[in-house]
Every structure is written in structure tokens, then in C-alpha cells.
Amino acid sequence: MQRQGDFKLPPFFNYPPYFTLQPVRETREKQVQLWKDLILDYCKSHKMYIISLEEDFPLFSNPNIERSLSYEAKEVFLAALVSEGRAEWIDKSHKKCLILWLRIQDWANYILDFVRENGLEVTTIEDIRSGIETHGTELAGIDRGVLMRALKLLEQKGKATIFKGTSADDEGVKFSA
């Protein structure tokens, strides 16, 4: 089994046809599902949030078998993630994609569980992203935009109140059980 750092790549990654969009519908559906799962697992494992169609992304080529995904294939796989709510295009030209290996609602639930487990009632936005309590958790290094959207969702549900300080470092949140 091939590895990329600590990440174990699935067997299909060494199968050249999976780097070419398959013409048969059933085969393509399986191919798309495999790639969606791989992209989500890889991004979660590496805490990556943005994939650009125009920049190198380690999964989109395999030098061992001398294969790379076409632009169209990358677009198809990312668009499939977007259609399932697991990614969002972050530009109008659909060249950059925000990967949501957890959906915003799932992030909101994760944050609430984290806050309860750690007895946090009031904290800063930056402490949620990089505080001592977050080390070794999914929240460590979370994309700020994803975090703010999850917190705003909690605020809409009456489970949190976001307050602004004089700078981005001063922004905070108060949680209510």
C-alpha cells in the first residue's frame, strides 16, 4: 500500500484507469465516490480546507504510475462534493473549493461538545482555533471562515453569542448550555 506521509492511500490510487474519467455511468459513479471519500479523508488527515483546480494538489497525480487527473476530472470530483454539501466553491469561476470534511452543522455540534467537555463558557475565537485545549482536536487550526459560520449557526440557535473586540484577536464567544 502506497503512503503519502502518514496517510495511507487506497489501492485504486495505483490503478491508472481511475485517473481518467470513466465513460460507463456505473463505473463513473463508483469512481466519483472513491475520489470523494479520498479527498475528504486526505483533507481531514492533513487539516486542509482549500483545493485549487489550478494548483498542485498531492492526490491529483501519482508519479509512480505516471498518471494525473485532467482538469475536467478534478472539476467533476469537486463538483460532486459541492452537490453533497461537503464542499463549496469559494470563487465565481469555480477554481477554488472549500472542503468541508465536517459539515457546518457537524462543526457546530463538535464545538458545543468541546466547550462542554472543557468547561468553557467564554473564550476567544483564536483560542478555539489555537488554544491549549484545542491541541490534538479537530478544532486545532480550523479554517477561520468555517469556524465563524459554525459559531453563527450556534448563535442563531441561541447556544452562543459572538462579541467583537477592537481587533480580530479580541473577538470572542459566550456559550450557553
Side-chain angles (χ1 to χ4, degrees), residues 9 15 35-36 40 48-51 55 59 61 64 67 70 74-75 84 97 108 112 114 120 127 130 151 158 167:
L9 293 161
Y15 188 56
W35 275 100
K36 287 187 307 186
L40 290 172
M48 294 178 75
Y49 294 89
I50 307 292
I51 295 177
E55 294 172 17
L59 293 181
S61 65
N64 292 344
R67 291 287 190 271
S70 68
K74 295 181 219 178
E75 204 170 30
E84 290 182 359
C97 208
L112 271 185
F114 173 80
L120 300 175
D127 276 347
S130 60
L151 290 173
S167 70

Side-chain angles (χ1 to χ4, degrees), residues 14-45:
N14 288 313
Y15 188 56
Y18 274 86
F19 282 84
T20 304
L21 281 175
Q22 296 301 301
V24 177
R25 187 175 55 83
E26 294 84 14
T27 307
R28 183 181 288 210
E29 286 172 2
K30 181 178 179 183
Q31 177 190 32
V32 169
Q33 187 60 51
L34 287 168
W35 275 100
K36 287 187 307 186
D37 293 344
L38 177 59
I39 291 166
L40 290 172
D41 290 346
Y42 185 87
C43 287
K44 182 177 182 177
S45 165

Side-chain angles (χ1 to χ4, degrees), residues 19-122:
F19 282 84
T20 304
L21 281 175
Q22 296 301 301
V24 177
R25 187 175 55 83
E26 294 84 14
T27 307
R28 183 181 288 210
E29 286 172 2
K30 181 178 179 183
Q31 177 190 32
V32 169
Q33 187 60 51
L34 287 168
W35 275 100
K36 287 187 307 186
D37 293 344
L38 177 59
I39 291 166
L40 290 172
D41 290 346
Y42 185 87
C43 287
K44 182 177 182 177
S45 165
H46 288 78
K47 296 198 177 240
M48 294 178 75
Y49 294 89
I50 307 292
I51 295 177
S52 172
L53 289 173
E54 297 183 331
E55 294 172 17
D56 286 339
F57 181 66
L59 293 181
F60 292 162
S61 65
N62 183 344
N64 292 344
I65 60 170
E66 299 179 357
R67 291 287 190 271
S68 293
L69 290 175
S70 68
Y71 188 90
E72 179 190 9
K74 295 181 219 178
E75 204 170 30
V76 165
F77 301 148
L78 292 178
L81 287 168
V82 169
S83 72
E84 290 182 359
R86 301 307 301 267
E88 297 172 356
W89 295 112
I90 55 176
D91 61 340
K92 289 182 178 161
S93 57
H94 291 197
K95 302 227 186 290
K96 285 191 178 184
C97 208
L98 173 69
I99 304 298
L100 298 168
W101 29 277
L102 286 179
R103 291 179 176 92
I104 298 299
Q105 177 62 56
D106 297 329
W107 276 116
N109 293 338
Y110 188 91
I111 291 166
L112 271 185
D113 291 343
F114 173 80
V115 164
R116 288 180 184 134
E117 288 170 15
N118 289 282
L120 300 175
E121 200 173 310
V122 178

